[in-house]
Amino acid sequence: SSNSRLMRPIENLDTFLQLANILTILLCGIAIALTSQRYVQQQQDHIALMRCIGASKQQILKVYIGVLLIIFAAAVVVGAALGVLMGMGLLQLMLSLMPHLSIEFSALSLLIGPLPIAMLTSLVVLIGFVMPSIWQILNTPPIRVLRAEEKTVSQMQSTLLWGGLSLILFSVLLTQNLSLSLLVIGALLALCAFLCAVIYGVLKLLHKRKTALSAYIRQIPQMSLQITALALGLSLMSVLMVLKTDLTQRWQQQLPENTPNQFVYGLPPHELQDFQSVLQQNQWSGTDLYPNIRGRLIAKNGQPFTEADRSKSNTLRRELNLTQAATYPTDNQIVAGKAEFTQIGQVSVEVKTAQELGIQLGDRLRFSLPEGDLTAEVINLRRVEWESFSPNFFFIFTPNSMDANAGSYLGSFYVPREDQHKLIEVIQRFSNTVFIDVGLMLNEVKRLLDVLLNIIGVLALLVAIAGVLVLLACLNLMLDARQQEVALLRAFGSSKARLKRMLSIEIGLMGLLAGISACILAEILSVIVSYKMGMPWHWHMQIWLILPPSMALICAVIGRYRLGHLCNVAPLKALRELKN
């Protein structure tokens, strides 16, 4: 657990799991918001009639609160049952892959742990994403019975806004990673507002240019919001998939072929040449062998460090591993000062240690060594890759600055699988040296990562299901808004072929714009999450090549056949069915 390189992938996977939780809740919230908005549009005429016959807002509110409570109770029962089954399944998966683990399933721990959090999460999502729609129903004017009002997008905007704010509040109260939750949800709210404005401007521009596409761009505010909602759902699915791939690839890149799997420590100076000969004879590649001398940092520029300084810095409270070498480890990078040593009595300092102790170029540091004190001038600052499987040091001195015989040597090397039996002879020959088999730890971490990746695959399936719900809810809203148009155009004599072509192109265009917008959102979110996980970001060309054309095709096909039955119905009958 003290090796940051071994633990970083596991920590990143833990962050990934928390991100999957956040994105799944967001996707479910968006699906609920879109579905509730559709429900509102279908119920407003009925509520207006109830208002006309004397129903008060309080009576209507009680009815809908009762409906929400029934929905919440059903969700708790069904969700808890599915959660228990899936939890036991994941536990059995872990135990089958790692049989030495001892984990028992406890119903009591479920009741007092995850279940209350899950119930509260469901309640927050339900209230945050549904109550604005219920408030819209309560404010339905009775005059709607006689005169239908023009539909606006302001209510959907407020629904998504209040839902997002409720999730932020929930994150503040219960999340395990507050900064990640606030960053992701806050960034999504800002990005969606900006993206919706950009889409609105693009659609407005295309509509004004009177091109072939202008005829298919109508109800621009509604189209903008629908495209943004669809893009948000797609982007949340996409970012989870690309980050899963990035985690796997990064771990594999961190462990290239011939990564040192043996660490040698405490090699006596008089056995150095013999040990190097053994490595050469067996053709085992490895790092340089560095002298390791224990010492303490006691003063800077002639001023001893005080007890207050030592209480603030662990570097001053303990003995340090010091070394001297003509060259630096290959993964060290000079960030300030001269790279080359020019004389005895110079030292290179790790940059974070220098910042912690206020060490600058040109400072003179005094160290207490077994053979006496040593004063050295700081000539550069280095950035050290502590996650590498090679020796690293806070302080590196000019060769011959210290007595190499005062300490021992350390380094790392790679032993192929077929040569493992030779290692026993080497260990017996150098009996005073400590050999650490890093390969065993690597194999254990790889097995744990495989288990976690299998679990992540299951969770990714849940995210995909939530994303499909968003897709269906959004497409239903799109198509509902066009049912009346199809019926009217059919009544005015438009041909079936022309209507189907119009629907395919219009809904396909919206899918294409949603796919492009989803790629933009996914890339921006991956930048944010990669920064939080300490991972390098790179362009994900695969989602740009797959998502926009596939969404255009899916939406075009669904739009063509979802409303195809209206094109085959007699115009008068279609209008009557639509009214009913």
Side-chain angles (χ1 to χ4, degrees), residues 138-153:
L138 295 179
N139 291 319
T140 301
I143 194 64
R144 184 182 173 89
V145 173
L146 302 177
R147 184 183 64 196
E149 296 180 344
E150 182 181 358
K151 298 175 182 178
T152 64
V153 299

Side-chain angles (χ1 to χ4, degrees), residues 375-386:
T375 300
E377 179 186 357
V378 178
I379 65 165
N380 65 51
L381 305 179
R382 289 171 294 112
R383 180 177 292 113
V384 176
E385 182 60 53
W386 295 108

Side-chain angles (χ1 to χ4, degrees), residues 87-98 450-451 453-456 458:
M88 293 179 65
L90 291 175
L91 180 60
Q92 292 302 317
L93 174 63
M94 287 186 63
L95 293 177
S96 65
L97 296 174
M98 305 185 71
D450 290 338
V451 173
L453 287 175
N454 286 327
I455 295 175
I456 283 176
V458 177

Side-chain angles (χ1 to χ4, degrees), residues 32-33 36 40 68 125-135 159:
I32 291 172
S36 65
V40 166
L68 287 181
V125 173
L126 196 63
I127 293 175
F129 286 98
V130 174
M131 286 307 295
S133 297
I134 292 181
W135 184 255
T159 299

Side-chain angles (χ1 to χ4, degrees), residues 433-493:
T433 303
V434 177
F435 291 85
I436 302 174
D437 191 349
V438 184
L440 292 177
M441 291 187 287
L442 291 178
N443 292 333
E444 197 68 18
V445 171
K446 286 180 179 178
R447 287 208 308 133
L448 181 57
L449 287 174
D450 290 338
V451 173
L452 293 177
L453 287 175
N454 286 327
I455 295 175
I456 283 176
V458 177
L459 295 179
L461 177 62
L462 294 179
V463 176
I465 293 174
V468 170
L469 294 178
V470 173
L471 176 62
L472 293 177
C474 194
L475 288 177
N476 280 332
L477 269 180
M478 291 181 187
L479 298 173
D480 285 348
R482 283 148 186 82
Q483 280 187 344
Q484 186 174 6
E485 295 178 17
V486 172
L488 289 175
L489 290 173
R490 185 78 179 93
F492 289 147

Side-chain angles (χ1 to χ4, degrees), residues 216 218 479 482 485-487 489-490 494-509 552-553 555-569:
Y216 304 102
R218 304 183 308 279
L479 298 173
R482 283 148 186 82
E485 295 178 17
V486 172
L489 290 173
R490 185 78 179 93
S494 295
S495 65
K496 299 177 184 179
R498 183 177 184 278
L499 285 176
K500 289 183 178 181
R501 183 173 64 253
M502 178 193 71
L503 289 173
S504 299
I505 295 177
E506 182 178 0
I507 305 299
L509 176 63
L553 180 61
C555 291
V557 172
I558 293 178
R560 183 180 182 89
Y561 291 99
R562 173 74 162 73
L563 295 179
H565 69 282
L566 284 179
C567 299
N568 298 322
V569 177

